[in-house]
Amino acid sequence: MMLSNPFSTSSCSERVPSVLEAIGNTPLIRLEKASLDLNTEVWAKVEAFNPGASAKDRVAKYMIEQAERSGALKPGGTIIEATSGNTGYSLAMIAAVKGYHCVLTVTSKISQDKTNLLKAMGAEVVICPKDAKPTDPNSYYEKAKALAAEIPNSVYLNQNFNTDNMDAHYYSTAPEIWQQSEGMITHFVGSTGTGGTVSGIAKYLKEQKPEVQVIGVDAYGSVLTNYWKTGEYDPSLISSYRIEGTGKNIIPANLKRELIDHYEQVRDREAAFRTRELSEVEGLMMGYSSGANLQAVYQAAEAGMFSPNDFVVVIFHDHGSRYLGKVYSDAWMKEQGWM
Ligand code: PMP
């Protein structure tokens, strides 16, 4: 008797001309524990399945292609970006395939693992002080701008203010979620950094089904929740926190507050334990912001946002291998006073 191949999957059935065509079509995976605990369906869009191991592959690819189409990026040119790491890795990956140089400005908050990854992908990494105010010439934003002015044939992609970022999610991540949930989705939960993920996905989902509720996730120490509530930028709220990728100290143009129905702010400690729970219980080794998003799902449930027939989709932006020295390290957890 012929046995069917136990390893066959529908998503790996194609062959592709380069790594660029392997971006997207990530799985939607049911979270068993959260679904049971919360008595509602909780599913995760697991972006770690992208070749660059994060959702930023989609953004990097789309921003680069738009820059090529507009003529801003020419063959042999240099791509510059200010990034917390993931966008940088994706840009470096695509730059490698397409033959561009890639210069990334990052803050000193970045983990050594992430810096090594960027360099391994051939990028030049410029580390800037993590506490520099956004307008300070030493901040990673200002440094990226200055480099773009200095380097001939270069383009600063500026993921915070370039709305190709949210469009990338509008055109790729969101239709996938819509199809994979067969239109059953009732809530979408995601971290907001640049806001591109949540805004692009919210725009598409609400066009299909206006009653879909979108929950933004933020960190304490970020300005975004207050901006969503009041429309104001209040820099006095800025303080340092540990979660990477969630929250901002500026208001990015990709954050569309009118598309977000609710915000949950999460604490470093709770997000860290949820991150570890994901790998230990669901077998999903995800990044720190994924734990933040899962924590936000629990908080939203506590606030009474879900009912038993709901279909909640939470996005997991990146893979946990980038955080081995952080949330997955007992020594690091002890240093924070959490273990
Ligand atoms: N999680 C991680 C790990 C990220 O790198 C980012 C991007 N900064 C986000 C969440 C937030 O995504 P977005 O920038 O689209 O708001």
Side-chain angles (χ1 to χ4, degrees), residues 54-56 59 83-87 114 159-160 165 169 190-199 224 244-248 254-255 287-290 293 316-319 323:
S54 90
K56 293 293 183 179
V59 174
T83 166
S84 68
N86 285 327
T87 306
K114 275 191 183 176
Q159 60 167 339
N160 287 302
N165 171 356
H169 291 288
S191 270
T192 50
T194 67
T197 308
V198 167
S199 302
L224 300 183
E244 290 172 50
T246 308
K248 274 276 156 177
N254 280 292
L255 187 74
Y288 202 171
S289 73
S290 302
N293 292 352
F316 292 162
H317 301 256
D318 71 348
H319 195 267
Y323 306 85

Side-chain angles (χ1 to χ4, degrees), residues 223-234 237 257:
V223 298
L224 300 183
T225 303
N226 179 69
Y227 169 71
W228 170 77
K229 273 189 201 149
T230 65
E232 305 290 327
Y233 173 58
D234 182 356
L237 295 168
R257 56 194 283 269

Side-chain angles (χ1 to χ4, degrees), residues 4 10 33 66 71 90 97 161 216 270 280 314 325:
S4 62
S10 55
K33 179 175 184 288
Q66 290 291 84
S90 302
V97 175
F161 293 94
E270 279 78 12
E280 287 163 11
V314 55

